[in-house]
């Protein structure tokens, strides 16, 4: 048994997550002294005795409560695997969550959580725009199960959201509030505290309304939704957590009470991450803070350059929010830093945006984000192209918009590339 609590502090002081990412949850004597957790590329695990096998299954199927100090043993890699368990323990540290569940993709995490917590007749209130996959799942797939989606535009105030809830008579059956903040690609913020208030207002003794936050854009380093009233935090770990554009994975975090049943449901959907993905993510977590700090600094440098440029009409960057703007108040309350996602409107339209994108040399033209390399894309015709133009306009997406995900390159080289591509327009 491994005493995680003791491992996470020194002389009574709690250690920071970045100090623990190399060792937390793993003991070298489990693996011939190997300093790194090996890849446990195995489908099944040998029981020491039939009695042990029986005990593990009793716990796995919830047939009885755990004895004091009893731990769930390893059974089969769809239920548990050391690479996943150690990774999940490490992931809880950034968000200060009780429990984590890792999935084979961000969409697997999101769809599993929504399917688990929503029942026919329930309402899911969600911000807009959402990541395309989440938008499709919520507005096209969930209705097949009798679940009703109700959307509001990110950045809307309390009154407007309450008006939508009332108009759609959504309050009584509200079960989950699902938000993405900052929104993609506009960086509009949704006030998590306000969402908690809506959730509490519509909760009853038997029916607690849950707030779920897709924290892919700023987390897990720059935003901690559980501290602002969220019940569940979701990630596409494909982005900053993986961070090298070489894996697809997802995470859900929250209390043990909420996450344990999600993990049980995951066992039946069979969409947990495999040991290799788990191992790669542990490798990635060691440099997470380092990467995100570098990316955040680079992004500020790039955003400052863009804000003075004559070919840039408008910039959507959290670091440029000004006092007096209601979005600034939300930013101050719930974000730790502006992160590394920058969107801007180029002077002109699609033609100018495409000329810019086609002229980039160092920055790659690709969707996805959060990786070590900088990426650029055109939301209106790429990531958000399935949203009708009229809806795009309501969400603040236009054809002159370009989205940048800033990486760890030298910031002067990034500005050199962006500058020459703007000159080519
Ligand atoms: C990429 C992304 C997803 C989906 O994650 P996958 O790992 O691609 O399944 C969900 N939400 C946001 C905000 C994303 O950027």
């Amino acid at each position: 048994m491994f005493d995680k609590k003791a491992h996470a502090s020194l002389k009574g002081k709690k250690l920071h997550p970045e100090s623990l990412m190399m060792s937390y949850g793993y003991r070298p004597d489990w693996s011939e002294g190997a300093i790194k957790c090996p890849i446990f590329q195995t489908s099944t695990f040998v029981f020491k005795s039939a009695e042990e096998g029986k005990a593990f299954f009793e716990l796995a199927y919830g047939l009885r409560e755990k004895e004091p100090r009893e731990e769930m043993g390893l059974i089969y890699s769809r239920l548990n695997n050391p690479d996943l368990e150690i990774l999940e323990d490490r992931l809880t540290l950034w968000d200060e969550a009780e429990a984590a569940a890792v999935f084979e993709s961000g969409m697997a995490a999101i769809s599993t959580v929504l399917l688990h917590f929503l029942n026919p007749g329930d309402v899911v209130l969600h911000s807009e725009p959402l990541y395309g996959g989440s938008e499709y799942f919520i507005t096209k797939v969930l209705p097949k199960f009798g679940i009703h989606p109700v959307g509001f535009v990110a950045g809307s105030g309390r009154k407007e959201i309450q008006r939508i809830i009332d108009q759609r008579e959504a309050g009584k059956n509200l079960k989950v509030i699902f938000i993405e903040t900052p929104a993609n690609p506009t960086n509009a913020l949704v006030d998590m505290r306000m969402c908690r208030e809506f959730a509490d207002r519509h909760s009853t003794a038997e029916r607690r309304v849950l707030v779920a936050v897709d924290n892919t854009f700023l987390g897990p380093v720059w935003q901690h939704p559980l501290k602002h009233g969220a019940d569940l935090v979701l990630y596409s770990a494909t982005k900053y957590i993986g961070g090298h554009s070489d894996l697809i994975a997802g995470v859900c975090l929250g209390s043990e009470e909420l996450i344990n049943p999600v993990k049980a449901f995951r066992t039946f959907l069979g969409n947990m991450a495999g040991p290799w993905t788990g191992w790669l993510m542990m490798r990635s977590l060691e440099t997470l803070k380092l990467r995100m700090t570098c990316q955040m600094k680079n992004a500020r440098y790039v955003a400052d350059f863009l804000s003075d440029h004559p070919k840039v009409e408008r910039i959507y960057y959290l670091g440029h929010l000004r006092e007096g703007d209601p979005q600034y108040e939300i930013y101050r309350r719930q974000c730790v830093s502006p992160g590394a996602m920058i969107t801007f409107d180029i002077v002109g339209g699609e033609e100018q945006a495409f000329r810019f994108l086609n002229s980039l040399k160092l920055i790659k033209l690709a969707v996805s984000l959060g990786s070590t390399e900088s990426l650029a894309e055109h939301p209106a015709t790429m990531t958000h192209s399935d949203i009708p133009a009229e809806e795009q306009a309501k969400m603040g997406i236009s054809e002159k918009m370009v989205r940048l995900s800033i990486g760890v390159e030298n910031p002067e080289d990034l500005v050199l590339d962006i500058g020459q591509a703007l000159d080519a327009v």
Side-chain angles (χ1 to χ4, degrees):
M1 201 11 234
F2 186 76
D3 188 348
K4 289 184 205 123
K5 279 227 173 72
H7 192 106
S9 58
L10 192 61
K11 290 192 138 191
K13 269 199 153 164
K14 212 164 129 195
L15 295 169
H16 295 84
E18 62 269 33
S19 305
L20 293 168
M21 282 305 118
M22 284 62 79
S23 57
Y24 188 72
Y26 169 70
R27 267 186 18 204
D29 58 304
W30 289 340
S31 310
E32 308 280 0
I35 189 163
K36 292 289 137 177
C37 174
I39 307 170
F40 287 87
Q41 192 70 40
T42 186
S43 58
T44 194
F45 299 85
V46 178
F47 303 134
K48 291 196 185 82
S49 65
E51 288 75 11
E52 188 187 72
K54 178 181 172 185
F56 288 177
F57 268 95
E58 284 170 347
L59 294 184
Y61 287 160
L63 303 178
R64 63 170 173 86
E65 291 292 308
K66 267 186 202 168
E67 302 287 341
R69 297 193 60 78
E70 186 181 11
E71 281 294 306
M72 167 77 180
L74 294 161
I75 297 176
Y76 182 71
S77 285
R78 181 157 46 73
L79 278 67
N80 50 14
N81 174 289
D83 290 298
L84 274 206
E85 291 196 338
I86 296 165
L87 170 65
E88 285 167 349
D89 286 341
R90 290 184 187 174
L91 282 164
T92 60
L93 298 176
W94 299 97
D95 280 289
E96 296 186 31
E98 281 175 16
V102 175
F103 293 83
E104 197 51 23
S105 68
M107 280 315 302
I110 292 164
S111 57
T112 303
V113 160
L114 291 175
L115 281 175
H116 174 68
F117 289 107
L118 290 163
N119 287 311
D122 285 346
V123 167
V124 52
L125 178 71
H126 65 91
S127 59
E128 285 175 331
L130 286 178
Y131 176 74
S134 308
E135 170 99 21
Y136 187 91
F137 188 78
I138 289 175
T139 63
K140 304 282 193 311
V141 179
L142 288 180
K144 289 194 209 172
F145 298 92
I147 295 157
H148 311 292
V150 173
F152 67 89
V153 174
S156 304
R158 254 186 192 74
K159 277 206 192 109
E160 171 64 5
I161 299 172
Q162 189 62 58
R163 192 188 62 74
I164 294 169
I165 295 177
D166 294 343
Q167 187 190 18
R168 300 280 302 272
E169 296 179 21
K172 191 160 63 59
N173 295 318
L174 185 61
K175 187 71 208 344
V176 172
I177 302 178
F178 180 91
I179 60 169
E180 234 173 78
T181 181
N184 171 18
T186 56
N187 271 335
L189 298 174
V190 181
D191 186 342
M192 293 189 238
R193 202 171 65 178
M194 172 189 74
C195 291
R196 176 78 266 153
E197 286 167 18
F198 279 122
D200 289 345
R201 189 173 309 155
H202 296 287
S203 292
T204 60
E206 309 80 63
R207 203 188 148 77
R208 178 173 155 80
V209 179
L210 300 175
V211 177
V213 179
D214 182 332
N215 199 33
T216 300
F217 269 44
L218 282 183
V221 175
W222 305 133
Q223 184 166 267
H224 306 110
L226 297 178
K227 291 185 186 153
H228 303 281
D231 300 289
L232 296 159
V233 184
L234 292 149
Y235 290 103
S236 167
T238 310
K239 316 295 166 54
Y240 287 97
I241 293 176
H244 296 72
S245 298
D246 58 4
L247 64 84
I248 302 270
V251 187
C252 174
L253 298 119
S255 65
E256 281 186 357
E257 191 191 343
L258 293 177
I259 298 297
N260 288 347
V262 168
K263 280 184 173 168
F265 191 39
R266 180 184 68 176
T267 300
F268 299 106
L269 293 182
N271 55 5
M272 71 299 150
W276 169 231
T277 302
W279 183 89
L280 272 174
M281 280 169 71
M282 282 196 268
R283 182 284 318 262
S284 290
L285 283 180
E286 297 187 10
T287 56
L288 179 71
K289 177 87 181 276
L290 205 64
R291 285 184 279 112
M292 289 190 79
T293 303
C294 173
Q295 286 166 299
M296 178 257 291
K297 289 182 185 163
N298 282 355
R300 184 173 291 282
Y301 194 78
V302 169
D304 289 347
F305 170 79
L306 286 171
S307 67
D308 301 332
H309 201 284
K311 289 189 180 158
V312 174
E313 192 176 293
R314 179 171 171 192
I315 171 158
Y316 307 78
Y317 167 63
L318 294 178
H320 286 172
L321 288 173
R322 290 281 163 264
E323 235 172 307
D325 184 337
Q327 289 270 297
Y328 178 80
E329 300 310 319
I330 302 173
Y331 171 77
R332 284 297 300 265
R333 196 160 61 233
Q334 67 190 31
C335 311
V336 179
S337 109
M341 296 301 297
I342 303 172
T343 296
F344 69 91
D345 289 341
I346 200 160
V347 175
E350 182 178 303
E351 189 192 333
Q352 286 71 20
F354 278 19
R355 183 85 51 87
F356 169 78
L357 290 168
N358 290 335
S359 304
L360 289 168
K361 301 270 187 310
L362 177 66
I363 298 175
K364 298 291 174 271
L365 174 52
V367 298
S368 198
L369 58 111
S371 182
T372 42
E373 69 273 301
S374 296
L375 299 175
E377 67 112 6
H378 188 246
T381 61
M382 296 171 193
T383 45
H384 296 70
S385 58
D386 63 331
I387 303 171
E390 193 184 308
E391 293 290 311
Q392 282 193 3
K394 264 194 241 161
M395 300 174 190
I397 301 168
S398 76
E399 54 179 31
K400 54 189 165 184
M401 201 173 238
V402 171
R403 188 188 79 183
L404 300 173
S405 166
I406 301 299
V408 301
E409 301 91 343
N410 184 293
E412 286 174 20
D413 293 343
L414 291 175
V415 161
L416 185 68
D417 193 24
I418 292 167
Q420 66 80 25
L422 283 170
D423 291 343
V425 177

